[in-house]
Amino acid sequence: MSNAKAAAVIGLGVGAMLITQGGDPLGSVGSWYPIWSEMGLRGAPARAFFCFSVGVLFFAIGWLYRQLFSPLELLRSPEDVGYVEEDGRTKAQAANDARRRRKIGELPPVYPNGWYRVLDSHMLQRGEVKSVSILGEQVAVFRGHDGKAYVVDAYCPHLGANLAVGGRVFGNCIECPFHGWQFQGDNGVCVKIPYAEKVPDFASVRSWPSCEVNEQILVWFHCDGEGPQWIVPEQPEITNDEWVYRGRTEHFINAHIQEIPENAADIAHLSHLHTPSMLSGADLRYTNSKIWEFVQHDWKVDWKPESEPNKHCSQMFVKHALRVFGCHWPLLDVSVVARQVGPGIVFLLFDQTFLGRGVIMHCVTPVEPLLQCVTHTIFYQSNIPPVVPKFILKVECIQFERDVMIWNNKKYVSKPLLVKEDSAIQKHRRWFSQFYSENSPRLQYQRDKLDF
């Protein structure tokens, strides 16, 4: 239950007690509250009015507390952002129509090799099991009683029951809800069949290589089954609680995974798509409204890949300035270093003189070939008021949703028409190609069977 709802329930409960009890708990309403007396509110009506007032007050306090101190969580469904509703269609109808009409283009492989976010750590309690769709697969994610998170294929090799739907955790094993077979989390080996004299040596379920770092549970994918080729760096400020969780956003993007990180090298799009004020919103039909043109964002960006031993990493350096009525406000200048680690994880490190320091973990996880789950999770200095990182995350969300409207409706162009100033895009494509192997899965054909 949210803080606001809890406060409202408490307020209504207090008011209900006042109504049901005898006498006049408010004392002499006429003498204490002459306005109520003039309105004829005495006895039961006065108590009812007091009940309502207390409920509203508690609700307002809860709402204010949530806005100021609770983490910001903006979770968008696949059809919520990036589509134009016309001719009386719903958002879901607009999204499905756009998916069916759009040309796909000649796509790279759909699942690059690398680390991908599955869940945030706080979303999985000890002994809990969750079902997750990732890379075209269903997996069961559970936390053993040792506190470690494990990821295994969701379907039991016995008769195909979903381990994440009704499965239970015993020690560091997950038990199938159908016949009670138990599988170890670390290697997937079956260790118990309740009705069998012996467990076959070959009885097992695939266990995914996983790790838990920066308050996130990650899995490793490689099309040839090779083990992890690099580690995801730890952000020490998160580990030692100097930076604390302040919220996250979640979006589903109908595009190839490569389209999203490629934005880092598409420097020209920043001045066109992201210069209009955040106040003008995310709908590209209205972002250039003259109403809000007195506020503009100014961007200076540079992208470059890293060298060995970190060739799987790249960095984007961003200098952001805000102009109001053409005047530069230096106090609001923000420096961001966006370090991408592999195909699916980006550290957006903020450093602002006045507003402090923090990081947004930008994670892209393929759900299926042309559906990406993108999350932005912010950790910020614990001594900075929560409203500051929540504001930063909200602004990031608005700017990101402008890109979503592009991605959800665009075609992938394998051989783009580029000018000299677009040279970083081709460099980024060459850098990103290292995450594909000869056997990386490709989209052979499209079946429009998924409707929102």
Side-chain angles (χ1 to χ4, degrees):
M1 184 182 295
S2 67
N3 293 325
K5 289 181 179 178
V9 169
I10 294 172
L12 292 173
V14 171
M17 290 174 60
L18 293 174
I19 289 177
T20 55
Q21 72 180 13
D24 189 352
L26 302 179
S28 176
V29 179
S31 60
W32 286 14
Y33 303 99
I35 296 178
W36 289 15
S37 180
E38 291 176 6
M39 295 171 60
L41 295 177
R42 295 178 180 275
R47 289 194 292 270
F49 188 83
F50 183 76
C51 164
F52 176 78
S53 301
V54 170
V56 170
L57 177 62
F58 273 84
F59 184 87
I61 292 172
W63 179 86
L64 184 62
Y65 177 86
R66 188 177 66 228
Q67 298 303 312
L68 294 178
F69 302 107
S70 296
L72 174 67
E73 296 197 342
L74 299 173
L75 312 180
R76 311 297 198 197
S77 61
E79 73 274 13
D80 277 348
V81 180
Y83 298 103
V84 177
E85 306 164 56
E86 294 177 337
D87 303 323
R89 294 178 301 170
T90 65
K91 288 183 178 180
Q93 289 171 334
N96 288 321
D97 288 347
R99 289 179 60 253
R100 293 188 181 100
R101 291 196 306 262
R102 184 180 60 177
K103 291 185 177 181
I104 300 304
E106 184 180 340
L107 296 174
V110 291
Y111 299 142
N113 304 320
W115 287 100
Y116 296 101
R117 170 194 172 274
V118 181
L119 292 170
D120 290 344
S121 295
H122 72 268
M123 299 167 66
L124 189 69
Q125 304 302 313
R126 194 182 300 261
E128 188 177 10
V129 185
K130 289 204 172 181
S131 176
V132 177
S133 298
I134 179 174
L135 297 154
E137 304 278 357
Q138 289 289 118
V139 296
V141 187
F142 69 97
R143 193 177 295 281
H145 291 294
D146 62 352
K148 184 178 179 182
Y150 301 97
V151 183
V152 298
D153 277 354
Y155 299 112
C156 179
H158 177 213
L159 286 174
N162 192 322
L163 301 175
V165 181
R168 297 186 297 171
V169 177
F170 287 87
N172 301 322
C173 299
I174 186 169
E175 181 188 75
C176 175
F178 201 7
H179 297 90
W181 291 32
Q182 292 184 6
F183 302 90
Q184 291 185 160
D186 55 352
N187 56 21
V189 171
C190 182
V191 295
K192 180 181 179 181
I193 301 176
Y195 54 87
E197 293 183 2
K198 182 185 178 188
V199 177
D201 294 337
F202 54 83
S204 65
V205 66
R206 178 172 59 158
S207 175
W208 293 60
S210 63
C211 70
E212 192 164 6
V213 61
N214 302 323
E215 297 295 323
Q216 294 184 326
I217 301 168
L218 311 171
V219 295
W220 169 264
F221 169 82
H222 195 285
C223 62
D224 298 318
E226 296 181 12
Q229 297 173 357
W230 66 83
I231 62 172
V232 177
E234 178 184 280
Q235 190 69 40
E237 292 90 346
I238 297 176
T239 305
N240 62 26
D241 293 328
E242 182 181 341
W243 294 353
V244 296
Y245 173 74
R246 293 303 189 195
R248 72 183 176 100
T249 64
E250 180 178 271
H251 296 82
F252 289 89
I253 316 299
N254 285 287
H256 188 279
I257 182 175
Q258 186 174 313
E259 299 267 28
I260 299 169
E262 190 169 287
N263 252 24
D266 185 3
I267 298 171
H269 96 282
L270 287 169
S271 60
H272 188 77
L273 195 64
H274 298 293
T275 289
S277 163
M278 60 185 177
L279 299 173
S280 60
D283 192 326
L284 301 185
R285 295 172 295 174
Y286 311 116
T287 52
N288 288 304
S289 170
K290 293 186 178 298
I291 297 175
W292 306 110
E293 66 180 6
F294 66 91
V295 179
Q296 291 192 329
H297 303 274
D298 187 26
W299 308 89
K300 293 182 180 179
V301 181
D302 183 36
W303 177 88
K304 65 179 182 181
E306 296 186 24
S307 56
E308 291 285 6
N310 295 320
K311 69 173 186 176
H312 59 279
C313 300
S314 67
Q315 293 193 48
M316 178 176 70
F317 302 91
V318 181
K319 295 282 188 181
H320 170 267
L322 192 67
R323 296 187 179 276
V324 181
F325 293 108
C327 297
H328 176 211
W329 289 38
L331 280 178
L332 297 179
D333 286 356
V334 179
S335 297
V336 180
V337 177
R339 187 177 192 233
Q340 177 155 0
V341 181
I345 300 172
V346 180
F347 294 73
L348 293 166
L349 290 159
F350 289 82
D351 190 357
Q352 211 279 337
T353 305
F354 181 65
L355 299 178
R357 299 173 61 241
V359 64
I360 292 180
M361 299 297 302
H362 166 98
C363 299
V364 185
T365 301
V367 178
E368 48 187 56
L370 295 179
L371 183 64
Q372 319 301 324
C373 177
V374 182
T375 59
H376 293 87
T377 306
I378 189 166
F379 297 88
Y380 219 77
Q381 284 180 237
S382 58
N383 60 343
I384 297 292
V387 69
V388 172
K390 289 172 66 175
F391 173 76
I392 292 173
L393 185 61
K394 179 62 177 178
V395 172
E396 168 68 19
C397 180
I398 293 172
Q399 294 285 10
F400 182 74
E401 288 182 355
R402 295 180 183 179
D403 291 304
V404 173
M405 198 165 186
I406 298 292
W407 291 322
N408 279 357
N409 297 279
K410 77 184 296 292
K411 167 189 172 182
Y412 180 83
V413 181
S414 58
K415 297 179 180 179
L417 175 60
L418 302 175
V419 296
K420 180 181 67 174
E421 289 77 9
D422 294 324
S423 60
I425 295 176
Q426 206 60 45
K427 291 178 182 178
H428 187 278
R429 291 193 174 189
R430 286 195 296 270
W431 172 80
F432 200 88
S433 66
Q434 68 180 296
F435 305 120
Y436 302 127
S437 302
E438 183 179 351
N439 296 320
S440 291
R442 291 181 176 271
L443 183 65
Q444 300 298 329
Y445 60 91
Q446 183 184 23
R447 294 176 60 188
D448 287 303
K449 64 179 182 178
L450 177 64
D451 283 349
F452 301 129

